[in-house]
C-alpha cells in the first residue's frame, strides 16, 4: 500500500534524525550513519524494497525516500562538523620560549653513602659482595658463634618470618657465606639492608650496614686499625682520629668498638658527643677462630679482622642529620639537599 510505504519512510526519517541528534561523539554518529544510510542501512533497504510496488506508485515513493536520505545525510554531516576536527590542531611552535628541563633524579643519600664507603674500601683492596636479606638461623646466628639460647641473641631484636627463616639482623652472615664458598684469602665489604624490631629517632626497623672481612695470612689488629684509620680520614676528614674500645661480639675475639673524634668539636667535647669528644662509629674485632671451624678454614694458617658499620649512622654523622627518619620519609625537600 502506497500510504503504508510513505508512512514507513517518514517514521524512519524521524528516527534517523533523532538518533543523529542524540549521538554524543563521532563514534555514535558513525553508528547512526551505518544504521540508516549504510549499504544495509534501514533507509537503503527501504529504497530497495520500492521495486516491489506497483509501477505507478514507484516515482512518488522513490522521491520521498530520496528526500529522506538526503535530509538524513545533511543532518549527519552537520552534526559531524559541529563536533569539530577529530584532533586538535598542533599549537604553533614558539622557538623563542625557554626550553623545558626534564626533572633530573639522583641517588638517595643512603645509596650514595654506601657507594662512597665501598669505594674507599675497594681502593684498599676489598671487593664488594652481597647476600640475602632473608636468612636462616644458621647463618645469622649459629655459624657466627651465637650459641642457641645465648643472651647475646636478645640484643638483635630479630624479626622472624616463619619456617626457620628470619630477616637478617646484620650483614655478618655474609662473612660465613663467603668463606664457605671460597678458601682464603678473603678481602670483602658487604653493603646491604638489615632489620630489627627497633624504632626511634636513631633506629629504624630497616637500616643499612656495611660489613668488612679480611682473612689472610698474618693479619693482626694493627691491620684492622690501619684500615679503619684510612677509612675514617677518607670518609670524614683527613685528620679524623679513631680509638678502639674493648667490647664484645660473639664472632670476634678480641672485639673492639671503634669511635671517631667528634665531627662537630674535633674532640674537645660538645652537645653531639655528650662532652666525651668521641662518637661511636662501628663494631669490629679479630675473627673468632670458632668461625673457621664452621667454614673449614685452618685457624693455624690464617687470621683475620672484621667490622660492621651502620650506613645510616655514618651518613647522620657526616651530614649532621638530626633524625634517621629523614632518610626514610621520602621527603623531596630533604633528598634534594644532597
Ligand atoms: N654485626 C654487628 C651488629 O650488627 C656489628 C659487627 C660488630 C660486625 C663486629 C662485625 C664485627 O663484623 O666484627 O651489631
Amino acid at each position: 500500500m502506497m500510504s503504508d510505504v510513505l508512512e514507513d519512510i517518514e517514521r524512519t526519517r524521524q528516527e534517523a534524525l533523532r538518533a543523529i541528534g542524540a549521538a554524543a561523539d563521532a563514534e555514535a554518529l558513525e553508528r547512526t550513519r551505518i544504521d540508516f544510510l549504510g549499504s544495509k542501512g534501514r533507509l537503503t533497504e527501504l529504497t530497495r524494497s520500492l521495486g516491489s510496488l506497483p509501477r505507478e506508485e514507484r516515482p512518488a515513493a522513490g522521491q520521498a525516500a530520496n528526500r529522506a536520505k538526503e535530509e538524513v545525510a545533511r543532518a549527519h554531516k552537520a552534526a559531524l562538523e559541529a563536533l569539530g576536527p577529530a584532533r586538535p590542531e598542533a599549537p604553533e611552535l614558539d622557538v623563542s620560549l625557554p626550553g623545558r628541563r626534564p626533572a633530573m633524579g639522583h641517588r638517595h643519600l643512603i645509596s650514595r653513602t654506601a657507594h662512597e664507603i665501598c669505594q674507599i674500601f675497594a681502593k684498599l683492596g676489598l671487593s664488594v659482595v652481597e647476600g640475602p636479606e632473608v636468612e636462616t638461623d644458621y647463618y645469622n646466628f649459629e655459624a657466627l658463634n651465637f650459641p642457641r639460647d645465648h643472651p647475646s641473641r636478645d640484643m638483635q631484636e630479630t624479626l622472624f618470618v616463619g619456617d626457620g627463616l628470619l630477616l637478617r639482623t646484620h650483614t655478618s652472615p655474609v662473612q660465613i657465606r663467603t668463606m664457605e664458598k671460597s678458601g682464603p684469602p678473603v678481602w670483602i665489604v658487604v653493603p646491604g639492608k638489615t632489620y630489627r624490631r627497633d624504632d626511634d629517632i636513631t633506629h629504624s626497623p630497616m637500616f643499612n650496614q656495611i660489613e668488612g672481612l679480611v682473612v689472610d695470612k698474618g693479619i693482626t689488629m694493627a691491620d684492622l686499625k690501619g684500615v679503619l684509620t684510612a677509612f675514617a680520614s677518607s670518609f670524614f676528614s683527613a685528620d679524623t682520629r679513631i680509638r678502639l674500645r674493648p667490647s664484645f661480639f660473639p664472632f670476634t675475639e678480641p672485639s673492639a668498638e671503634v669511635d671517631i673524634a667528634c665531627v662537630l668539636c674535633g674532640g674537645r667535647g660538645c652537645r653531639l658527643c655528650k662532652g666525651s669528644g668521641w662518637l661511636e662509629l662501628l663494631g669490629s674485632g679479630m675473627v673468632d677462630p670458632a668461625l673457621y671451624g664452621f667454614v673449614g678454614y685452618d685457624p693455624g694458617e690464617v687470621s683475620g679482622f672484621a667490622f660492621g658499620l651502620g650506613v645510616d649512622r655514618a651518613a647522620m654523622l657526616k651530614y649532621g642529620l638530626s633524625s634517621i627518619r629523614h632518610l626514610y620519609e621520602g621527603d623531596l625537600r630533604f633528598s634534594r639537599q644532597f
Side-chain angles (χ1 to χ4, degrees), residues 92-100:
E92 232 172 274
L93 178 66
D94 182 349
V95 291
S96 68
L97 283 173
R100 286 191 200 113

Side-chain angles (χ1 to χ4, degrees), residues 121 125-127 129 144 172-180 185-190 210-216 219 251-252 285-288 291-292 295 297 303-308:
F121 287 113
L126 285 73
S127 29
V129 303
L144 284 166
S172 306
V174 188
Q175 290 191 24
I176 303 297
R177 287 182 174 275
T178 308
M179 290 193 283
E180 219 176 46
V186 168
W187 291 64
I188 56 162
V189 268
V190 185
I210 290 183
E211 191 80 13
L213 177 69
V214 171
V215 179
D216 208 333
I219 298 290
F251 40 92
T252 44
M286 298 306 291
V287 177
D288 191 311
L291 268 60
Y292 299 138
V295 298
Y297 282 16
S303 57
F305 67 79
F307 59 88

Side-chain angles (χ1 to χ4, degrees), residues 1 35 39 60 71 91 98 143 158 160 167-168 171 202 245 292 308 325 328:
M1 282 295 295
D35 285 349
S39 60
E71 195 186 339
T158 312
F160 294 93
L167 297 182
R168 68 177 177 193
T171 42
T202 51
R245 242 178 330 114
Y292 299 138
R325 298 267 152 260
Y328 296 116

